[in-house]
Amino acid sequence: MNRALVLMVLAMACDKASGPAPVLARQSVCGTSATAETKKIYDGLKGECAGCHVAGVRSFFVSLGTFQALLVTDEKLVKPGDPDNSELIKLLEGHGTGVFKQMPIAGLAYADRASAGTAVNGVSMSDVRAWVTNLATQSRDPRPDPNAKVLVRMTGQQAQRTLYQQLGLDNSDFYIKAFEYDVEMAEKKDEDRYPLLGPDEMPAPRQSQTAERFYAIGGGSSTGQIRADSTVSPTYVLTMQQTSQAWCRFALGKTGNTALFSAGSMGTADEATAKTTIRRWGLHFIATQLSDDEVNALYTDLFVPLVADSNAGNAYVGLCSYFIRHPLWVFY
Amino acid sequence: MRAIWLIGALALLSCTGTIKGPPGTQGGGAGVGGGGATEEPCVETDPTAAPPNDTLSPLRLLRRTSLALRGVPASDAEQAALLAAGDEAAQRLYVEHFVDQTLASPAFYQTMFELARGWFMIPLIPNDADAPEYAPKQQRILEICPAGTDNAGAFVYYRDQLKDCTGAKATAMVEPWWAPGTMIRLVGSPANPNDGAVCEGRPRGTCGCGPHAVGCWYVKETYPGWAPFISFNPHGQRRLLQEESARLFAHLAWYDRPVTDLVLGDYSVGPVELQAALINTALETGALQLQTDDRWWQPSKFAGVPVDPLHDANDAWAWREYTVSERNPFLLADRSYKYDPRTQNDPVKGVPSAGVLTQIGFMGAYPRERVRAARALETFACEVLSPPNSQDFNPYISDPGKEGPCQNCHRRIDPAAIHFKRFARDGQAFEGWGGLYPIAGVGKWHWPGFEKGMYPFGHVPFTEWNHWYQANTVMTPISQTLKAMNPESIFIDFLPPDQTLLGQTSDGTIGPLGFAKMIVASGAFDRCVVRHLHQQVLGRDIDPALEAGYLDDLTAKFISKNRAIRPFVKTLTQSVSMGRGL
């Protein structure tokens, strides 16, 4: 349960990380920074423009940073020193040359609103023109956002395939052949094995629970018109907890399975075997060479208590599912 | 247990983006994960900024690379090989070789296919009425006369067994398109001629299947008619048509073609069963010369044509490259075909093919022009179509392209939608198995009097045309006078010079190709492809607002590599970002 909580916390953190970055004007020597005059224009236009321009490739008014990075540095919109040939000016004055002839797109153009004093917190057109006239040559920062997320959660499809690979399992462990309209489908053997398969796979799962479990870990489907979701949702955490335990137990009991123990059968609970297994599984599951301290800690804190509570089989199931729910497994 | 929390906390810190400092050169460093990168075009001046302490170990970098490029982690054997490679530099070199090997493996083709399938998210073509009635299968079902009947073993039309399996009937021996190298015996109606004014080359009524039974199909199945329709049939035509767009993307990646061919090309990929849909659509439009064209089903005729890496070259189910205009001559090879119904009276020859945008899977899944345009803008130009927050709009009268709150999106959608107007689906086909796919004004597709909306034009698509293709609108920029004189002028399908799309004016090319040229010329297509490849390899989209310069930079690199996917993906694997993580 504690491990699930860890992942829940991770879920919340990473969801936050994948959202919009803090609203700041990123100042960088690699791209032209927003000047005080630019900020004045941004603040003046925002009241009329932010209603629409807050999403997608024209999200100019999310922040001063996006105003600078997307609009001020786009010569198609703002030509430094040349307001008459700047599309921004043309749009604000109601004679745009593109799809839109004016901004805002309905009612009075901005220039007319500013003249009439009805523009919300508006700046005068003469100020906007002067700003373009005096604007220095602009450049964009070619580097990625330093605050962009670094980690990636495995997709539902990657998770399912990775579990097959690392646990030595395949479709035959979960399904038998069944035929619908003469086409082969994957008929689940036993729901207690927690079958999990994407509905776009071939043969496709015949039972809806199989696909639903796939959706629960964020898998997508074009036939089902469901987009993949790589957030660490509570549904993901709960499904992976159940699935990892069930699949580890099944894999450890599978005759001749060399994926987890090279001998093809589960090892004993003696200290040497357990530590060797912990070390091997660190590499196997999370591509990490565990230190002696880490091996000892896992043996003492995880493996031994499980053996004491039940038996070696349960201890290895716990160890196996621990690695599958480890952040180094979940993320890459 | 402490260790668990410690690791969790570490991951928490990493994924919340609290790591500070300059990521450094992107896409220019030598080695996977930017190992050995020396180029530093931008330098943070803040001397207190701590360098990120999140460089992946070679093992973790191998894992990340493997997941990104082939969807599963490295195997135990590959990890052992990395560790045996030597010191860290040698291990990083191993990862670089691993990238090269993976990019050349069929697994990468599969990754590109799955990337595109999730990205395009094109739905299955819906059924017309009760399943399995579905439009593209414009061929008639054959069944075999059972043993004990007079014509046992011969092929007859489905539901005609009682009529044609007994007694002396017309007979024809043909080499069928679905089983080259074999001969079958058609009896009864399928053996009848299908030329002349009544049949027009189609197996309707008592007309026959035609040469090589091109107008018919046969699959041994318990429930006739279902094989092409069911979505979980890997050989089902409906699924093949849905996959075609993503298969084309993977094909372009595999053969290092420019990705712009995805929307600009006169070629696609598809098994024989998929190409049958194009052939029969073209036959229905009047291209009767295709009856004897065996280039799409005779293995000797397509030997050596590029196929996907998961099939043998001669496999009928291979995703084989084909020229669209050869399969359907009404999807023109001419890359700049122009036609202006305001000044031309001769019939339009067709619509230029445009990769995904003229595929049956795309056109059939999205039944109308505006839906196609909106999806194409979102999918291939990464446009975001969201409603306005609050604003006073002029009143809506008849044109969502310039009136009312809808114009917030339709100012962009309608100049795109004008290119997608000619493709339609019309009701049911002759046998009830599917419908027709007319290209309005092309070939035999003319309907005198349709503009009056009276019988027999009281249904889709005529009702939609008469309702939505109004003169003097953004989507139909013709005069009322011209519309009255030439009702087919409502199908005008290029952007007039006084309109723009994504800042581009049209060169006058009609149809989806005209649209494709503009999204490519605007740069939106390239940026969109770069964002999706970045998402695949580095696990996150590029924020177009916060990272406009980064997107520009990567897009320039992508274009400099002739828009080929593999070299660009390799560049991404060499970025510093690739080497950061947990």
Side-chain angles (χ1 to χ4, degrees):
Chain A
M1 185 55 75
N2 284 342
R3 287 189 290 271
L5 283 172
V6 171
L7 287 174
M8 291 284 277
V9 174
L10 281 167
M12 295 164 65
C14 290
D15 282 352
K16 186 179 175 185
S18 63
V23 180
L24 293 169
R26 191 148 53 86
Q27 308 290 308
S28 167
V29 295
C30 301
T32 315
S33 301
T35 62
E37 189 63 18
T38 296
K39 183 176 186 309
K40 176 185 162 188
I41 301 301
Y42 165 75
D43 289 338
L45 294 177
K46 187 177 181 181
E48 292 294 328
C49 306
C52 296
H53 289 287
V54 289
V57 296
R58 296 179 196 81
S59 50
F60 307 124
F61 288 90
V62 167
S63 67
L64 177 59
T66 63
F67 183 75
Q68 172 68 22
L70 274 184
L71 191 145
V72 181
T73 58
D74 186 347
E75 280 221 7
K76 292 196 287 288
L77 295 171
V78 177
K79 283 194 174 175
D82 191 359
D84 287 339
N85 285 308
S86 294
E87 189 67 19
L88 173 67
I89 300 296
K90 294 179 183 177
L91 284 166
L92 296 178
E93 293 179 345
H95 48 88
T97 62
V99 167
F100 294 100
K101 303 306 173 195
Q102 67 169 61
M103 285 291 155
I105 60 178
L108 294 175
Y110 179 83
D112 295 329
R113 296 179 191 212
S115 297
T118 58
V120 179
N121 301 322
V123 62
S124 72
M125 269 316 295
S126 59
D127 282 353
V128 180
R129 281 183 156 272
W131 166 68
V132 176
T133 301
N134 297 321
L135 196 65
T137 302
Q138 304 289 303
S139 66
R140 289 174 167 173
D141 187 344
R143 300 171 305 166
D145 177 5
N147 292 317
K149 70 174 184 178
V150 172
L151 298 181
V152 185
R153 201 215 83 185
M154 264 199 242
T155 65
Q157 191 169 64
Q158 288 172 338
Q160 179 262 312
R161 292 176 181 172
T162 298
L163 287 175
Y164 271 23
Q165 173 180 301
Q166 294 186 334
L167 296 178
L169 304 175
D170 58 38
N171 271 3
S172 67
D173 293 309
F174 297 94
Y175 312 101
I176 57 172
K177 284 184 183 178
F179 290 87
E180 290 265 12
Y181 297 97
D182 306 316
V183 176
E184 183 182 339
M185 297 197 79
E187 170 88 20
K188 69 180 178 186
K189 289 179 174 175
D190 182 353
E191 178 63 16
D192 286 344
R193 290 187 189 179
Y194 286 75
L196 183 162
L197 194 64
D200 293 345
E201 297 284 345
M202 292 290 167
R206 188 159 178 265
Q207 277 76 26
S208 60
Q209 299 99 316
T210 305
E212 286 163 6
R213 195 170 285 114
F214 180 75
Y215 292 143
I217 62 167
S221 164
S222 62
T223 54
Q225 289 291 285
I226 293 175
R227 288 207 180 271
D229 172 13
S230 282
T231 57
V232 189
S233 65
T235 312
Y236 168 84
V237 173
L238 291 172
T239 306
M240 283 304 292
Q241 178 171 340
Q242 296 168 340
T243 304
S244 61
Q245 290 176 350
W247 286 26
C248 281
R249 182 174 300 283
F250 181 69
L252 285 163
K254 183 179 175 181
T255 306
N257 184 7
T258 58
L260 296 174
F261 287 96
S262 53
S265 59
M266 190 163 58
T268 58
D270 66 273
E271 182 173 347
T273 302
K275 287 186 174 178
T276 299
T277 303
I278 291 169
R279 195 177 301 281
R280 176 168 177 255
W281 285 4
L283 196 58
H284 178 74
F285 284 111
I286 59 176
T288 300
Q289 292 178 293
L290 299 177
S291 67
D292 290 343
D293 285 347
E294 288 169 324
V295 171
N296 288 334
L298 277 174
Y299 175 73
T300 305
D301 296 342
L302 178 65
F303 191 82
V304 171
L306 285 171
V307 173
D309 284 350
S310 51
N311 53 48
N314 282 349
Y316 280 116
V317 169
L319 190 62
C320 169
S321 56
Y322 160 80
F323 278 115
I324 290 170
R325 285 173 285 151
H326 196 292
L328 289 176
W329 193 92
V330 173
F331 298 98
Y332 68 90
Chain B
M1 208 53 67
R2 271 198 316 263
I4 297 166
W5 282 102
L6 183 63
I7 292 166
L10 181 60
L12 183 68
L13 286 170
S14 299
C15 66
T16 47
T18 53
I19 296 162
K20 302 294 184 189
T25 304
Q26 289 300 316
V32 177
T38 54
E39 227 180 312
E40 282 287 345
C42 300
V43 180
E44 275 301 346
T45 54
D46 179 3
T48 64
N53 184 24
D54 59 358
T55 303
L56 290 171
S57 70
L59 268 172
R60 293 290 297 172
L61 181 61
L62 177 66
R63 181 178 191 269
R64 177 173 192 167
T65 303
S66 182
L67 279 162
L69 301 185
R70 65 181 191 188
V72 289
S75 67
D76 288 352
E78 288 163 337
Q79 292 192 146
L82 176 138
L83 293 173
D87 61 11
E88 181 171 338
Q91 291 179 4
R92 292 190 180 279
L93 191 61
Y94 176 90
V95 180
E96 193 170 351
H97 291 155
F98 175 84
V99 168
D100 291 335
Q101 288 173 354
T102 305
L103 289 175
S105 73
F108 182 68
Y109 168 90
Q110 184 69 15
T111 297
M112 289 297 99
F113 162 63
E114 291 174 355
L115 158 67
R117 186 170 60 177
W119 162 15
F120 302 163
M121 201 49 95
I122 294 174
L124 289 158
I125 295 173
N127 46 300
D128 303 329
D130 294 334
E133 292 188 8
Y134 125 92
K137 193 64 185 169
Q138 299 182 4
Q139 292 166 295
R140 201 155 171 181
I141 307 165
L142 292 175
E143 286 206 294
I144 298 177
C145 289
T149 59
D150 296 340
N151 299 318
F155 287 73
V156 297
Y157 285 146
Y158 174 54
R159 295 196 179 100
D160 276 359
Q161 292 100 323
L162 285 177
K163 178 170 75 73
D164 284 337
C165 286
T166 57
K169 306 290 180 184
T171 297
M173 296 295 291
V174 298
E175 180 188 16
W177 66 269
W178 64 84
T182 67
M183 298 296 287
I184 63 168
R185 183 164 61 101
L186 304 173
V187 299
S189 297
N192 290 339
N194 73 353
D195 52 4
V198 174
C199 296
E200 295 180 304
R202 307 303 295 145
R204 56 175 62 91
T206 56
C207 299
C209 291
H212 301 292
V214 167
C216 299
W217 66 279
Y218 172 76
V219 172
K220 184 181 180 185
E221 58 179 340
T222 308
Y223 307 99
W226 284 86
F229 177 79
I230 46 181
S231 62
F232 49 87
N233 181 3
H235 292 164
Q237 191 190 70
R238 185 163 166 252
R239 185 179 178 108
L240 298 176
L241 288 168
Q242 186 203 24
E243 286 188 2
E244 184 180 5
S245 52
R247 294 285 179 187
L248 176 58
F249 181 84
H251 186 83
L252 298 177
W254 187 248
Y255 287 102
D256 294 330
R257 307 278 180 81
V259 185
T260 41
D261 284 358
L262 188 72
V263 292
L264 295 177
D266 181 30
Y267 66 93
S268 186
V269 292
V272 169
E273 169 69 5
L274 181 149
Q275 296 183 43
L278 279 92
I279 292 287
N280 280 276
T281 299
L283 283 169
E284 193 67 48
T285 308
L288 300 187
Q289 71 275 18
L290 293 177
Q291 285 187 310
T292 53
D293 183 348
D294 62 356
R295 289 177 294 177
W296 59 281
W297 60 268
Q298 192 64 266
S300 63
K301 299 293 175 65
F302 52 64
V305 171
V307 301
D308 69 275
L310 305 174
H311 289 89
D312 292 332
N314 290 328
D315 189 336
W317 296 106
W319 288 90
R320 178 173 296 104
E321 192 172 309
Y322 68 89
T323 301
V324 175
S325 56
E326 290 178 354
R327 300 294 171 264
N328 186 346
F330 300 105
L331 296 175
L332 307 174
D334 187 343
R335 299 292 82 194
S336 56
Y337 181 69
K338 298 173 179 61
Y339 180 83
D340 188 345
R342 298 173 301 183
T343 58
Q344 291 176 253
N345 291 322
D346 55 317
V348 62
K349 290 180 182 173
V351 173
S353 62
V356 170
L357 301 176
T358 47
Q359 288 175 355
I360 293 174
F362 178 80
M363 290 291 183
Y366 302 125
R368 291 190 300 106
E369 68 296 319
R370 283 186 170 111
V371 185
R372 292 171 188 146
R375 295 292 85 77
L377 283 169
E378 289 172 338
T379 305
F380 302 114
C382 286
E383 280 288 302
V384 175
L385 300 167
S386 53
N389 280 357
S390 62
Q391 194 174 157
D392 290 329
F393 290 93
N394 57 349
Y396 174 77
I397 299 171
S398 61
D399 188 358
K402 56 190 178 191
E403 297 160 353
C406 301
Q407 67 181 299
N408 184 68
C409 293
H410 280 266
R411 283 267 180 141
R412 279 174 287 156
I413 292 174
D414 287 14
I418 192 173
H419 300 90
F420 293 94
K421 285 159 67 180
R422 288 190 187 270
F423 293 90
R425 185 179 65 75
D426 181 14
Q428 313 298 315
F430 52 89
E431 197 187 23
W433 300 101
L436 301 174
Y437 278 119
I439 307 176
V442 172
K444 75 173 191 184
W445 300 117
H446 305 274
W447 306 270
F450 80 88
E451 72 279 6
K452 296 184 178 68
M454 308 290 282
Y455 178 84
F457 303 115
H459 62 280
V460 174
F462 310 103
T463 49
E464 287 180 348
W465 293 341
N466 289 330
H467 184 72
W468 286 112
Y469 294 6
Q470 295 295 319
N472 298 314
T473 59
V474 170
M475 203 170 71
T476 309
I478 59 167
S479 67
Q480 284 287 4
T481 307
L482 179 63
K483 182 182 176 185
M485 285 171 47
N486 175 14
E488 286 190 3
S489 62
I490 64 168
F491 300 120
I492 181 171
D493 58 346
F494 70 96
L495 204 58
D498 62 335
Q499 292 191 45
T500 61
L501 176 66
L502 302 178
Q504 303 300 307
T505 51
S506 171
D507 70 351
T509 303
I510 69 165
L513 184 61
F515 164 83
K517 285 182 175 181
M518 282 186 280
I519 64 168
V520 170
S522 72
F525 177 82
D526 289 322
R527 287 192 293 273
C528 196
V529 172
V530 165
R531 285 175 63 180
H532 282 280
L533 290 172
H534 191 278
Q535 170 82 55
Q536 173 66 36
V537 179
L538 291 165
R540 70 170 183 91
D541 191 4
I542 298 171
D543 187 328
L546 287 173
E547 301 175 294
Y550 178 48
L551 182 55
D552 288 347
D553 186 55
L554 285 183
T555 303
K557 287 186 169 77
F558 173 62
I559 294 171
S560 74
K561 296 176 186 306
N562 297 319
R563 297 181 169 98
I565 290 173
R566 286 195 291 199
F568 181 67
V569 165
K570 179 158 186 187
T571 298
L572 291 177
T573 67
Q574 293 171 325
S575 66
V576 172
S577 295
M578 187 73 182
R580 299 176 64 201
L582 186 62

